[in-house]
Structure formats: C-alpha cells, structure tokens
C-alpha cells in the first residue's frame, strides 16, 4: 500500500495529496528561490500522475523563466510548487507537507554559489555549486 502524504497552503485554499514515491528533499539557494520565499527553498518532487491538487480558486502560476513556473496561493502567499515546462514531475515545497512526509530527508544543497551571504550552510549534506 502506497504512503499518502498530504499538504496545503497556510490558509487551506490549496490542498494536495501525493500517493507515489517522493524524491529526497533538495535545498535550492538560487536567487529566484530566495526571492520567491525570502530564504532558500527545500522541496521534494513527485510525478504529475501521483499528485492530486484541490484548489478553491487561489492557486496561481507565475512564469519564473522561459523554462519553469512557480505555483503559489494568491490568498495567503504560500509558495507551493516549482514545475519545469514540459516535465511530467512537479516539485513541492517541503514546508507545506502535513506531519509525516513518508520519511524523506534533506539530500543535497544546490546553487550554493548563489546563496545569501547572511547565512552559512552548517550541515553534513552534500553541496553543489550549481544544479546537481
């Protein structure tokens, strides 16, 4: 039986349920992620076919670049998703997950060359200057 992982935005206007495998969490320190969230992003990823998104009309998508878009709640402002155009996977911000996330753990830091100078990365998780 598949593990079911649920999550939502802060106001509950967007809710999600994932039934397939989740990628370990990746921390992205790129400038876009830092501007989108006010710090760095920690996200897992799943196949489009393994996620169900319930939306009360507040889910909005922002074309962050020619390559990808970002999903957020237009009521509470929660950053929720990152999706590469044409991909059959969607990244889900780890902070929106409820309770048990199926045992996923932080796996790596990417774009560490772009990280803010106001913090240090002080864990033992592998670091990558750009994408992994």
């Amino acid at each position: 039986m598949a593990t079911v992982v649920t999550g939502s935005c802060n106001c509950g206007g967007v809710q999600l349920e994932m039934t397939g495998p989740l990628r370990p969490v990746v921390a992205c320190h790129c400038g876009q992620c830092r501007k989108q969230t006010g710090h760095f992003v920690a996200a897992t990823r799943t196949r489009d076919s393994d996620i169900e998104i319930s939306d009360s009309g507040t889910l909005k998508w922002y074309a962050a670049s020619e390559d990808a878009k970002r999903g957020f709640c237009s009521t509470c402002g929660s950053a929720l998703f990152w999706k590469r155009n044409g991909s059959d996977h969607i990244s889900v911000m780890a902070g929106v997950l409820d309770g048990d996330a199926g045992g996923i753990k932080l796996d790596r830091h990417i774009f560490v060359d772009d990280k803010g100078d106001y913090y240090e990365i002080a864990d033992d998780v592998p670091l990558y200057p750009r994408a992994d």
Side-chain angles (χ1 to χ4, degrees):
M1 183 172 178
T3 300
V4 176
V5 176
T6 60
S8 68
C9 65
N10 199 35
C11 72
V14 180
Q15 298 185 19
L16 57 107
E17 181 177 286
M18 296 177 288
T19 56
L22 300 177
R23 177 197 69 194
V25 175
V26 172
C28 182
H29 300 266
C30 78
Q32 277 193 7
C33 283
R34 289 188 299 110
K35 293 223 181 242
Q36 181 77 24
T37 65
H39 198 36
F40 62 88
V41 158
T44 184
R45 184 178 71 191
T46 193
R47 293 183 302 254
D48 290 346
S49 59
D50 291 336
I51 187 170
E52 184 176 319
I53 300 170
S54 301
D55 171 26
S56 67
T58 65
L59 178 60
K60 302 296 180 201
W61 290 93
Y62 167 67
S65 70
E66 293 180 5
D67 298 322
K69 60 187 177 181
R70 296 173 182 272
F72 65 97
C73 176
S74 64
T75 297
C76 66
S78 294
L80 301 166
F81 307 111
W82 182 88
K83 183 155 179 61
R84 184 174 302 282
N85 298 338
S87 174
D88 62 353
H89 286 79
I90 187 168
S91 292
V92 178
M93 303 307 138
V96 305
L97 303 179
D98 298 325
D100 183 6
I104 58 173
K105 302 285 186 211
L106 182 62
D107 182 65
R108 61 192 172 274
H109 294 271
I110 62 173
F111 288 98
V112 296
D113 284 356
D114 294 344
K115 79 168 201 56
D117 61 359
Y118 63 92
Y119 65 95
E120 297 299 323
I121 302 171
D123 56 30
D124 294 328
V125 177
L127 308 174
Y128 295 90
R130 308 298 304 158
D132 55 332

